[in-house]
Amino acid sequence: MAEIHREYVDAGAQIIQTNTFGANRFKTGTCGLENKLVDINTAGVELARRVIMASFKQAFIAGDVGPLGVRLAPFGRVQPEQAREVFREQITAQVKAGIDLLIIETMTDLYEVREAINAAHDVDPNLPVLASMTFTRDDRTLLGDEPAKVATRIHAADATVIGVNCSGGPQQILRILKQMYPIDPRRRFLGHANAGWPEQVSGRIFYPATPDYFGDYALAFWHAGAKIIGGCCGTTPQHVAAMRKSIDAAPDEPGTNGFILAVNEVEEPQVTKNSQVNFLKN
């Protein structure tokens, strides 16, 4: 795990996510590790910190929190207050271990993401919270919510950053970002795309999007208003390096929305390169 973290730091990543995506009481309980929950989350944070310190580079540690793996009411049996407590337990462990920010990611249920955000505020009202949802091929969440509704609800829950991750490839993420942005252009947005839709070849899963393709789309995300840009499933250090190179080489001035990658149904935001990489320093 340390080697993987280091490869992404060396590729130019400025935020490293802890290896704690499923480290909550429900998921750890399926393998009898619920009593190790605090230890697992603490170790994930400490490992990321060690790697960053050894690299002599500046990077932030993002405590990673994924879905609980159970359905909340009204779609399941787990009540919102129960979910909030489980999220609070995981987030508390990460905050005590010293995370710089929290990323709540790959969510499909607006009720669940709300409870996760509320739990984060309970633990530390000053902690930057990035809340990101994932979408199906029809640009809706698994429960049928459209991007504008998702952005509105996450905004109302007072997340620091509104995001979209996983889903399909960069083209879909760009399309969704451009539907989210008009909800409140003053808010900060995140785009972490998969390396395309996964394909099965000879019994193995492959992701088709190349690093160069990601480099082109990094500019499109930036010009669409995303201030945090990264990769999700199928992306490698080479994808991150291509995005870093593309952003660093771009003129430090407002631009059009990703050249021929544009989705032109909304007005282009006016952002600069520095706003993409420095907001957490403020």
Side-chain angles (χ1 to χ4, degrees), residues 172-228:
Q172 184 189 25
I173 297 296
L174 176 62
R175 191 166 63 241
I176 291 170
L177 279 171
K178 291 181 71 65
Q179 294 177 61
M180 286 181 161
Y181 182 82
I183 298 304
D184 187 350
R186 297 168 299 177
R187 303 295 284 192
R188 298 180 175 104
F189 291 85
L190 168 156
H192 288 178
N194 282 355
W197 289 104
E199 301 173 356
Q200 188 169 12
V201 180
S202 300
R204 297 180 62 189
I205 299 298
F206 290 88
Y207 289 84
T210 66
D212 287 344
Y213 184 74
F214 255 71
D216 290 339
Y217 266 97
L219 289 178
F221 294 166
W222 168 33
H223 294 144
K227 293 186 177 181
I228 298 181

CSV table of all heavy atoms in Angstrom, one decimal, residues 172-228:
chain,number,residue,atom,x,y,z
A,172,GLN,N,-18.6,11.4,-19.4
A,172,GLN,CA,-19.8,11.5,-18.6
A,172,GLN,C,-19.6,12.4,-17.4
A,172,GLN,O,-20.4,13.1,-17.0
A,172,GLN,CB,-20.2,10.1,-18.1
A,172,GLN,CG,-21.5,10.1,-17.3
A,172,GLN,CD,-21.8,8.8,-16.6
A,172,GLN,OE1,-20.9,8.0,-16.3
A,172,GLN,NE2,-23.1,8.6,-16.4
A,173,ILE,N,-18.4,12.3,-16.8
A,173,ILE,CA,-18.1,13.2,-15.6
A,173,ILE,C,-18.2,14.6,-16.0
A,173,ILE,O,-18.8,15.5,-15.3
A,173,ILE,CB,-16.7,12.9,-15.0
A,173,ILE,CG1,-16.7,11.4,-14.5
A,173,ILE,CG2,-16.4,13.8,-13.9
A,173,ILE,CD1,-17.6,11.1,-13.4
A,174,LEU,N,-17.7,15.0,-17.2
A,174,LEU,CA,-17.8,16.4,-17.6
A,174,LEU,C,-19.2,16.8,-17.8
A,174,LEU,O,-19.6,17.9,-17.4
A,174,LEU,CB,-17.0,16.5,-19.0
A,174,LEU,CG,-17.1,17.9,-19.6
A,174,LEU,CD1,-16.5,19.0,-18.8
A,174,LEU,CD2,-16.4,17.9,-21.0
A,175,ARG,N,-20.0,15.9,-18.4
A,175,ARG,CA,-21.4,16.2,-18.7
A,175,ARG,C,-22.1,16.4,-17.3
A,175,ARG,O,-23.0,17.4,-17.2
A,175,ARG,CB,-22.0,15.0,-19.4
A,175,ARG,CG,-23.4,15.2,-20.0
A,175,ARG,CD,-23.8,14.2,-21.0
A,175,ARG,NE,-23.8,12.8,-20.4
A,175,ARG,CZ,-23.1,11.8,-20.7
A,175,ARG,NH1,-22.2,12.0,-21.7
A,175,ARG,NH2,-23.2,10.6,-20.2
A,176,ILE,N,-21.9,15.6,-16.3
A,176,ILE,CA,-22.5,15.8,-15.0
A,176,ILE,C,-22.0,17.0,-14.3
A,176,ILE,O,-22.8,17.7,-13.7
A,176,ILE,CB,-22.3,14.5,-14.2
A,176,ILE,CG1,-23.0,13.3,-14.8
A,176,ILE,CG2,-22.7,14.7,-12.7
A,176,ILE,CD1,-22.7,12.0,-14.2
A,177,LEU,N,-20.7,17.3,-14.4
A,177,LEU,CA,-20.2,18.5,-13.7
A,177,LEU,C,-20.9,19.7,-14.3
A,177,LEU,O,-21.3,20.7,-13.5
A,177,LEU,CB,-18.7,18.6,-14.0
A,177,LEU,CG,-17.8,17.8,-13.1
A,177,LEU,CD1,-16.4,17.9,-13.6
A,177,LEU,CD2,-17.9,18.4,-11.6
A,178,LYS,N,-21.2,19.8,-15.6
A,178,LYS,CA,-21.8,20.9,-16.2
A,178,LYS,C,-23.3,21.0,-15.9
A,178,LYS,O,-23.9,22.1,-16.0
A,178,LYS,CB,-21.6,20.9,-17.7
A,178,LYS,CG,-20.1,21.1,-18.1
A,178,LYS,CD,-19.9,21.1,-19.6
A,178,LYS,CE,-20.4,22.4,-20.2
A,178,LYS,NZ,-19.8,23.6,-19.8
A,179,GLN,N,-23.9,20.0,-15.4
A,179,GLN,CA,-25.3,20.0,-14.9
A,179,GLN,C,-25.3,20.5,-13.4
A,179,GLN,O,-26.2,21.1,-12.9
A,179,GLN,CB,-26.0,18.7,-15.0
A,179,GLN,CG,-26.2,18.3,-16.5
A,179,GLN,CD,-26.8,16.9,-16.6
A,179,GLN,OE1,-27.9,16.7,-16.1
A,179,GLN,NE2,-26.1,16.0,-17.2
A,180,MET,N,-24.2,20.1,-12.7
A,180,MET,CA,-24.1,20.5,-11.3
A,180,MET,C,-23.7,22.0,-11.0
A,180,MET,O,-24.3,22.6,-10.2
A,180,MET,CB,-23.1,19.6,-10.6
A,180,MET,CG,-23.5,18.2,-10.3
A,180,MET,SD,-22.2,17.3,-9.4
A,180,MET,CE,-23.1,15.9,-8.8
A,181,TYR,N,-22.8,22.4,-11.9
A,181,TYR,CA,-22.2,23.7,-11.6
A,181,TYR,C,-23.2,24.9,-11.5
A,181,TYR,O,-23.0,25.8,-10.6
A,181,TYR,CB,-21.2,24.0,-12.7
A,181,TYR,CG,-20.5,25.4,-12.5
A,181,TYR,CD1,-19.4,25.4,-11.7
A,181,TYR,CD2,-20.9,26.5,-13.2
A,181,TYR,CE1,-18.7,26.6,-11.5
A,181,TYR,CE2,-20.2,27.7,-13.0
A,181,TYR,CZ,-19.1,27.8,-12.2
A,181,TYR,OH,-18.5,29.0,-12.0
A,182,PRO,N,-24.2,25.0,-12.3
A,182,PRO,CA,-25.1,26.1,-12.2
A,182,PRO,C,-25.9,26.2,-10.9
A,182,PRO,O,-26.5,27.3,-10.6
A,182,PRO,CB,-26.1,25.9,-13.4
A,182,PRO,CG,-25.4,25.1,-14.3
A,182,PRO,CD,-24.6,24.2,-13.5
A,183,ILE,N,-26.0,25.2,-10.1
A,183,ILE,CA,-26.7,25.2,-8.9
A,183,ILE,C,-26.1,26.3,-8.0
A,183,ILE,O,-26.9,27.0,-7.3
A,183,ILE,CB,-26.6,23.8,-8.1
A,183,ILE,CG1,-27.2,22.7,-9.0
A,183,ILE,CG2,-27.2,23.9,-6.8
A,183,ILE,CD1,-28.7,23.0,-9.4
A,184,ASP,N,-24.8,26.4,-7.9
A,184,ASP,CA,-24.2,27.5,-7.2
A,184,ASP,C,-22.7,27.6,-7.7
A,184,ASP,O,-21.9,26.9,-7.1
A,184,ASP,CB,-24.2,27.3,-5.7
A,184,ASP,CG,-23.7,28.5,-4.9
A,184,ASP,OD1,-23.1,29.4,-5.5
A,184,ASP,OD2,-23.9,28.6,-3.7
A,185,PRO,N,-22.4,28.5,-8.6
A,185,PRO,CA,-21.1,28.6,-9.1
A,185,PRO,C,-20.0,29.0,-8.1
A,185,PRO,O,-18.8,28.9,-8.3
A,185,PRO,CB,-21.2,29.7,-10.2
A,185,PRO,CG,-22.6,29.6,-10.6
A,185,PRO,CD,-23.4,29.3,-9.4
A,186,ARG,N,-20.5,29.5,-6.9
A,186,ARG,CA,-19.6,29.9,-5.9
A,186,ARG,C,-19.0,28.7,-5.1
A,186,ARG,O,-18.0,28.8,-4.4
A,186,ARG,CB,-20.2,30.8,-4.9
A,186,ARG,CG,-20.7,32.2,-5.5
A,186,ARG,CD,-21.6,32.9,-4.6
A,186,ARG,NE,-22.8,32.1,-4.3
A,186,ARG,CZ,-23.8,32.5,-3.4
A,186,ARG,NH1,-23.6,33.6,-2.8
A,186,ARG,NH2,-24.8,31.8,-3.3
A,187,ARG,N,-19.7,27.5,-5.2
A,187,ARG,CA,-19.3,26.3,-4.5
A,187,ARG,C,-18.1,25.7,-5.3
A,187,ARG,O,-17.8,26.0,-6.4
A,187,ARG,CB,-20.4,25.3,-4.5
A,187,ARG,CG,-21.7,25.8,-3.8
A,187,ARG,CD,-21.5,26.1,-2.3
A,187,ARG,NE,-21.4,25.0,-1.5
A,187,ARG,CZ,-21.5,25.0,-0.2
A,187,ARG,NH1,-21.6,26.1,0.5
A,187,ARG,NH2,-21.4,23.8,0.5
A,188,ARG,N,-17.4,24.8,-4.6
A,188,ARG,CA,-16.3,24.1,-5.1
A,188,ARG,C,-16.7,22.7,-5.6
A,188,ARG,O,-17.6,22.1,-4.9
A,188,ARG,CB,-15.1,23.9,-4.1
A,188,ARG,CG,-14.6,25.3,-3.6
A,188,ARG,CD,-13.5,25.1,-2.6
A,188,ARG,NE,-12.9,26.3,-2.2
A,188,ARG,CZ,-13.1,27.0,-1.1
A,188,ARG,NH1,-13.9,26.5,-0.2
A,188,ARG,NH2,-12.5,28.1,-0.8
A,189,PHE,N,-16.2,22.2,-6.7
A,189,PHE,CA,-16.6,21.0,-7.3
A,189,PHE,C,-15.4,20.1,-7.5
A,189,PHE,O,-14.3,20.5,-7.7
A,189,PHE,CB,-17.4,21.2,-8.6
A,189,PHE,CG,-18.7,21.9,-8.5
A,189,PHE,CD1,-18.8,23.3,-8.3
A,189,PHE,CD2,-19.9,21.2,-8.4
A,189,PHE,CE1,-20.0,23.9,-8.2
A,189,PHE,CE2,-21.1,21.8,-8.2
A,189,PHE,CZ,-21.2,23.2,-8.1
A,190,LEU,N,-15.7,18.8,-7.6
A,190,LEU,CA,-14.7,17.7,-7.7
A,190,LEU,C,-15.1,16.8,-8.9
A,190,LEU,O,-16.3,16.5,-9.0
A,190,LEU,CB,-14.6,16.9,-6.4
A,190,LEU,CG,-13.9,15.6,-6.3
A,190,LEU,CD1,-13.5,15.4,-4.8
A,190,LEU,CD2,-14.7,14.4,-6.7
A,191,GLY,N,-14.2,16.3,-9.6
A,191,GLY,CA,-14.4,15.4,-10.7
A,191,GLY,C,-13.3,14.3,-10.7
A,191,GLY,O,-12.2,14.6,-10.9
A,192,HIS,N,-13.7,13.0,-10.3
A,192,HIS,CA,-12.8,11.9,-10.3
A,192,HIS,C,-13.4,10.8,-11.2
A,192,HIS,O,-14.3,10.1,-10.8
A,192,HIS,CB,-12.6,11.3,-8.9
A,192,HIS,CG,-11.8,12.2,-8.0
A,192,HIS,ND1,-11.6,11.9,-6.7
A,192,HIS,CD2,-11.1,13.4,-8.2
A,192,HIS,CE1,-10.8,12.8,-6.2
A,192,HIS,NE2,-10.5,13.7,-7.1
A,193,ALA,N,-12.9,10.7,-12.4
A,193,ALA,CA,-13.5,9.8,-13.4
A,193,ALA,C,-12.9,8.4,-13.4
A,193,ALA,O,-11.7,8.3,-13.1
A,193,ALA,CB,-13.4,10.3,-14.8
A,194,ASN,N,-13.7,7.4,-13.7
A,194,ASN,CA,-13.1,6.1,-14.0
A,194,ASN,C,-12.3,6.2,-15.4
A,194,ASN,O,-12.6,7.1,-16.1
A,194,ASN,CB,-14.1,5.0,-14.2
A,194,ASN,CG,-14.7,4.5,-12.9
A,194,ASN,OD1,-14.2,4.9,-11.8
A,194,ASN,ND2,-15.7,3.7,-13.0
A,195,ALA,N,-11.5,5.2,-15.6
A,195,ALA,CA,-10.8,5.2,-16.9
A,195,ALA,C,-11.7,4.6,-18.0
A,195,ALA,O,-11.3,3.6,-18.6
A,195,ALA,CB,-9.5,4.5,-16.8
A,196,GLY,N,-12.9,5.1,-18.1
A,196,GLY,CA,-13.8,4.6,-19.1
A,196,GLY,C,-14.7,3.5,-18.4
A,196,GLY,O,-14.5,3.1,-17.3
A,197,TRP,N,-15.6,3.0,-19.2
A,197,TRP,CA,-16.4,1.9,-18.7
A,197,TRP,C,-15.6,0.6,-18.8
A,197,TRP,O,-14.9,0.4,-19.8
A,197,TRP,CB,-17.7,1.7,-19.6
A,197,TRP,CG,-18.7,2.8,-19.4
A,197,TRP,CD1,-19.0,3.8,-20.2
A,197,TRP,CD2,-19.6,2.9,-18.2
A,197,TRP,NE1,-20.0,4.6,-19.7
A,197,TRP,CE2,-20.4,4.1,-18.5
A,197,TRP,CE3,-19.8,2.2,-17.1
A,197,TRP,CZ2,-21.4,4.5,-17.6
A,197,TRP,CZ3,-20.8,2.6,-16.2
A,197,TRP,CH2,-21.5,3.7,-16.4
A,198,PRO,N,-15.6,-0.2,-17.8
A,198,PRO,CA,-14.8,-1.4,-17.8
A,198,PRO,C,-15.2,-2.4,-18.8
A,198,PRO,O,-16.4,-2.5,-19.1
A,198,PRO,CB,-15.0,-2.0,-16.4
A,198,PRO,CG,-16.3,-1.4,-15.9
A,198,PRO,CD,-16.4,-0.1,-16.5
A,199,GLU,N,-14.2,-3.1,-19.5
A,199,GLU,CA,-14.5,-4.1,-20.5
A,199,GLU,C,-13.9,-5.4,-20.1
A,199,GLU,O,-12.8,-5.4,-19.6
A,199,GLU,CB,-13.9,-3.6,-21.8
A,199,GLU,CG,-14.5,-2.3,-22.3
A,199,GLU,CD,-13.8,-1.8,-23.6
A,199,GLU,OE1,-12.8,-2.5,-24.0
A,199,GLU,OE2,-14.2,-0.8,-24.1
A,200,GLN,N,-14.6,-6.5,-20.3
A,200,GLN,CA,-14.0,-7.8,-20.0
A,200,GLN,C,-13.4,-8.4,-21.2
A,200,GLN,O,-14.1,-8.6,-22.3
A,200,GLN,CB,-15.1,-8.7,-19.4
A,200,GLN,CG,-14.6,-10.0,-18.9
A,200,GLN,CD,-15.6,-10.8,-18.1
A,200,GLN,OE1,-16.8,-10.5,-18.1
A,200,GLN,NE2,-15.2,-11.8,-17.4
A,201,VAL,N,-12.2,-8.7,-21.2
A,201,VAL,CA,-11.4,-9.3,-22.3
A,201,VAL,C,-10.7,-10.6,-21.8
A,201,VAL,O,-9.8,-10.5,-20.9
A,201,VAL,CB,-10.4,-8.3,-22.9
A,201,VAL,CG1,-9.7,-9.0,-24.1
A,201,VAL,CG2,-11.1,-7.1,-23.3
A,202,SER,N,-11.0,-11.7,-22.3
A,202,SER,CA,-10.4,-13.0,-21.9
A,202,SER,C,-10.5,-13.2,-20.4
A,202,SER,O,-9.5,-13.6,-19.8
A,202,SER,CB,-9.0,-13.0,-22.4
A,202,SER,OG,-8.9,-12.9,-23.8
A,203,GLY,N,-11.6,-12.9,-19.9
A,203,GLY,CA,-11.8,-13.1,-18.4
A,203,GLY,C,-11.2,-12.1,-17.5
A,203,GLY,O,-11.3,-12.2,-16.3
A,204,ARG,N,-10.6,-11.0,-18.1
A,204,ARG,CA,-10.0,-9.9,-17.3
A,204,ARG,C,-10.7,-8.6,-17.5
A,204,ARG,O,-11.2,-8.4,-18.6
A,204,ARG,CB,-8.5,-9.8,-17.6
A,204,ARG,CG,-7.7,-11.0,-17.3
A,204,ARG,CD,-6.2,-10.8,-17.6
A,204,ARG,NE,-5.6,-9.7,-16.8
A,204,ARG,CZ,-4.4,-9.2,-17.0
A,204,ARG,NH1,-3.7,-9.7,-18.0
A,204,ARG,NH2,-3.9,-8.3,-16.3
A,205,ILE,N,-10.7,-7.7,-16.5
A,205,ILE,CA,-11.3,-6.4,-16.7
A,205,ILE,C,-10.3,-5.4,-17.1
A,205,ILE,O,-9.2,-5.3,-16.5
A,205,ILE,CB,-11.9,-6.0,-15.3
A,205,ILE,CG1,-13.0,-7.0,-14.9
A,205,ILE,CG2,-12.5,-4.6,-15.4
A,205,ILE,CD1,-14.2,-7.1,-15.9
A,206,PHE,N,-10.6,-4.7,-18.1
A,206,PHE,CA,-9.7,-3.6,-18.6
A,206,PHE,C,-10.5,-2.3,-18.7
A,206,PHE,O,-11.7,-2.3,-18.9
A,206,PHE,CB,-9.2,-3.9,-20.0
A,206,PHE,CG,-8.2,-5.1,-20.1
A,206,PHE,CD1,-8.6,-6.4,-20.2
A,206,PHE,CD2,-6.9,-4.8,-20.0
A,206,PHE,CE1,-7.7,-7.4,-20.2
A,206,PHE,CE2,-5.9,-5.8,-20.0
A,206,PHE,CZ,-6.4,-7.2,-20.2
A,207,TYR,N,-9.8,-1.2,-18.5
A,207,TYR,CA,-10.4,0.1,-18.6
A,207,TYR,C,-9.7,0.8,-19.9
A,207,TYR,O,-8.5,0.9,-20.0
A,207,TYR,CB,-10.1,1.0,-17.4
A,207,TYR,CG,-10.9,0.5,-16.2
A,207,TYR,CD1,-10.5,-0.5,-15.4
A,207,TYR,CD2,-12.1,1.1,-15.9
A,207,TYR,CE1,-11.2,-0.9,-14.3
A,207,TYR,CE2,-12.9,0.7,-14.8
A,207,TYR,CZ,-12.4,-0.3,-14.0
A,207,TYR,OH,-13.2,-0.7,-12.9
A,208,PRO,N,-10.5,1.3,-20.8
A,208,PRO,CA,-10.0,1.7,-22.1
A,208,PRO,C,-9.4,3.1,-22.2
A,208,PRO,O,-8.6,3.4,-23.1
A,208,PRO,CB,-11.2,1.7,-23.0
A,208,PRO,CG,-12.4,2.0,-22.1
A,208,PRO,CD,-12.0,1.3,-20.8
A,209,ALA,N,-9.7,4.0,-21.2
A,209,ALA,CA,-9.2,5.4,-21.4
A,209,ALA,C,-7.7,5.5,-21.1
A,209,ALA,O,-7.2,5.1,-20.0
A,209,ALA,CB,-10.0,6.3,-20.4
A,210,THR,N,-7.0,6.1,-21.9
A,210,THR,CA,-5.5,6.2,-21.8
A,210,THR,C,-5.1,7.4,-21.0
A,210,THR,O,-5.9,8.4,-20.8
A,210,THR,CB,-4.9,6.4,-23.2
A,210,THR,OG1,-5.3,7.6,-23.8
A,210,THR,CG2,-5.2,5.2,-24.1
A,211,PRO,N,-3.9,7.5,-20.5
A,211,PRO,CA,-3.4,8.7,-19.8
A,211,PRO,C,-3.5,10.0,-20.6
A,211,PRO,O,-3.9,11.0,-20.1
A,211,PRO,CB,-2.0,8.3,-19.5
A,211,PRO,CG,-2.0,6.8,-19.3
A,211,PRO,CD,-2.9,6.4,-20.4
A,212,ASP,N,-3.2,9.9,-21.9
A,212,ASP,CA,-3.3,11.1,-22.7
A,212,ASP,C,-4.7,11.6,-22.8
A,212,ASP,O,-5.0,12.8,-22.8
A,212,ASP,CB,-2.7,10.8,-24.1
A,212,ASP,CG,-1.2,10.7,-24.1
A,212,ASP,OD1,-0.6,11.1,-23.1
A,212,ASP,OD2,-0.7,10.2,-25.1
A,213,TYR,N,-5.6,10.7,-22.9
A,213,TYR,CA,-7.1,11.0,-23.0
A,213,TYR,C,-7.5,11.7,-21.7
A,213,TYR,O,-8.2,12.8,-21.7
A,213,TYR,CB,-7.9,9.7,-23.2
A,213,TYR,CG,-9.3,9.9,-23.3
A,213,TYR,CD1,-9.9,10.4,-24.5
A,213,TYR,CD2,-10.2,9.5,-22.3
A,213,TYR,CE1,-11.3,10.4,-24.7
A,213,TYR,CE2,-11.6,9.5,-22.5
A,213,TYR,CZ,-12.1,10.0,-23.7
A,213,TYR,OH,-13.5,10.1,-23.8
A,214,PHE,N,-7.0,11.2,-20.5
A,214,PHE,CA,-7.3,11.9,-19.3
A,214,PHE,C,-6.6,13.2,-19.2
A,214,PHE,O,-7.2,14.2,-18.6
A,214,PHE,CB,-6.8,11.0,-18.1
A,214,PHE,CG,-7.8,10.3,-17.4
A,214,PHE,CD1,-8.5,9.2,-18.0
A,214,PHE,CD2,-8.2,10.6,-16.1
A,214,PHE,CE1,-9.5,8.5,-17.3
A,214,PHE,CE2,-9.2,9.9,-15.4
A,214,PHE,CZ,-9.9,8.9,-16.0
A,215,GLY,N,-5.5,13.4,-19.7
A,215,GLY,CA,-4.8,14.7,-19.7
A,215,GLY,C,-5.6,15.8,-20.4
A,215,GLY,O,-5.8,16.9,-20.0
A,216,ASP,N,-6.2,15.4,-21.6
A,216,ASP,CA,-7.1,16.3,-22.3
A,216,ASP,C,-8.3,16.7,-21.5
A,216,ASP,O,-8.7,17.8,-21.4
A,216,ASP,CB,-7.6,15.7,-23.6
A,216,ASP,CG,-6.4,15.6,-24.6
A,216,ASP,OD1,-5.4,16.3,-24.5
A,216,ASP,OD2,-6.5,14.8,-25.6
A,217,TYR,N,-8.9,15.7,-20.8
A,217,TYR,CA,-10.1,15.9,-20.1
A,217,TYR,C,-9.9,16.7,-18.8
A,217,TYR,O,-10.8,17.3,-18.2
A,217,TYR,CB,-10.9,14.6,-19.8
A,217,TYR,CG,-11.9,14.4,-20.9
A,217,TYR,CD1,-11.7,13.5,-22.0
A,217,TYR,CD2,-13.2,15.0,-20.8
A,217,TYR,CE1,-12.6,13.3,-22.9
A,217,TYR,CE2,-14.2,14.8,-21.8
A,217,TYR,CZ,-13.9,13.9,-22.8
A,217,TYR,OH,-14.8,13.7,-23.8
A,218,ALA,N,-8.7,16.6,-18.2
A,218,ALA,CA,-8.4,17.3,-17.0
A,218,ALA,C,-8.6,18.8,-17.3
A,218,ALA,O,-9.2,19.5,-16.4
A,218,ALA,CB,-6.9,17.1,-16.6
A,219,LEU,N,-8.2,19.3,-18.4
A,219,LEU,CA,-8.5,20.7,-18.8
A,219,LEU,C,-10.0,21.0,-18.9
A,219,LEU,O,-10.4,22.0,-18.5
A,219,LEU,CB,-7.8,21.1,-20.1
A,219,LEU,CG,-6.2,21.1,-20.0
A,219,LEU,CD1,-5.7,21.5,-21.4
A,219,LEU,CD2,-5.8,22.2,-19.0
A,220,ALA,N,-10.7,20.0,-19.4
A,220,ALA,CA,-12.1,20.2,-19.6
A,220,ALA,C,-12.8,20.3,-18.2
A,220,ALA,O,-13.7,21.1,-18.0
A,220,ALA,CB,-12.7,19.1,-20.4
A,221,PHE,N,-12.4,19.4,-17.3
A,221,PHE,CA,-12.9,19.5,-15.9
A,221,PHE,C,-12.6,20.8,-15.3
A,221,PHE,O,-13.5,21.4,-14.6
A,221,PHE,CB,-12.3,18.4,-15.0
A,221,PHE,CG,-12.7,17.0,-15.5
A,221,PHE,CD1,-12.0,15.9,-15.0
A,221,PHE,CD2,-13.7,16.7,-16.3
A,221,PHE,CE1,-12.3,14.6,-15.3
A,221,PHE,CE2,-14.1,15.4,-16.7
A,221,PHE,CZ,-13.4,14.4,-16.2
A,222,TRP,N,-11.4,21.3,-15.4
A,222,TRP,CA,-10.9,22.5,-14.8
A,222,TRP,C,-11.8,23.7,-15.4
A,222,TRP,O,-12.3,24.5,-14.6
A,222,TRP,CB,-9.5,22.7,-15.1
A,222,TRP,CG,-8.9,24.1,-14.8
A,222,TRP,CD1,-9.3,24.9,-13.9
A,222,TRP,CD2,-7.8,24.7,-15.6
A,222,TRP,NE1,-8.5,26.1,-13.9
A,222,TRP,CE2,-7.6,26.0,-15.0
A,222,TRP,CE3,-7.0,24.3,-16.6
A,222,TRP,CZ2,-6.6,26.8,-15.4
A,222,TRP,CZ3,-6.1,25.2,-17.1
A,222,TRP,CH2,-5.9,26.4,-16.5
A,223,HIS,N,-11.9,23.7,-16.7
A,223,HIS,CA,-12.7,24.8,-17.3
A,223,HIS,C,-14.2,24.7,-17.0
A,223,HIS,O,-14.9,25.7,-17.1
A,223,HIS,CB,-12.5,24.8,-18.8
A,223,HIS,CG,-11.1,25.2,-19.1
A,223,HIS,ND1,-10.4,24.6,-20.2
A,223,HIS,CD2,-10.2,26.1,-18.6
A,223,HIS,CE1,-9.2,25.2,-20.3
A,223,HIS,NE2,-9.0,26.0,-19.3
A,224,ALA,N,-14.7,23.5,-16.6
A,224,ALA,CA,-16.1,23.3,-16.2
A,224,ALA,C,-16.3,23.7,-14.7
A,224,ALA,O,-17.4,23.6,-14.3
A,224,ALA,CB,-16.5,21.9,-16.5
A,225,GLY,N,-15.3,24.1,-14.0
A,225,GLY,CA,-15.4,24.5,-12.7
A,225,GLY,C,-14.9,23.6,-11.6
A,225,GLY,O,-15.0,23.9,-10.4
A,226,ALA,N,-14.4,22.4,-12.0
A,226,ALA,CA,-13.8,21.5,-11.0
A,226,ALA,C,-12.5,22.1,-10.4
A,226,ALA,O,-11.6,22.4,-11.1
A,226,ALA,CB,-13.6,20.1,-11.6
A,227,LYS,N,-12.5,22.1,-9.1
A,227,LYS,CA,-11.2,22.6,-8.4
A,227,LYS,C,-10.4,21.4,-7.8
A,227,LYS,O,-9.3,21.6,-7.4
A,227,LYS,CB,-11.6,23.6,-7.3
A,227,LYS,CG,-12.2,24.9,-7.9
A,227,LYS,CD,-12.4,25.9,-6.8
A,227,LYS,CE,-12.9,27.2,-7.5
A,227,LYS,NZ,-13.1,28.3,-6.4
A,228,ILE,N,-11.0,20.3,-7.8
A,228,ILE,CA,-10.2,19.1,-7.4
A,228,ILE,C,-10.5,18.1,-8.6
A,228,ILE,O,-11.6,17.7,-8.9
A,228,ILE,CB,-10.7,18.5,-6.1
A,228,ILE,CG1,-10.4,19.5,-5.0
A,228,ILE,CG2,-10.0,17.2,-5.8
A,228,ILE,CD1,-10.8,19.0,-3.6
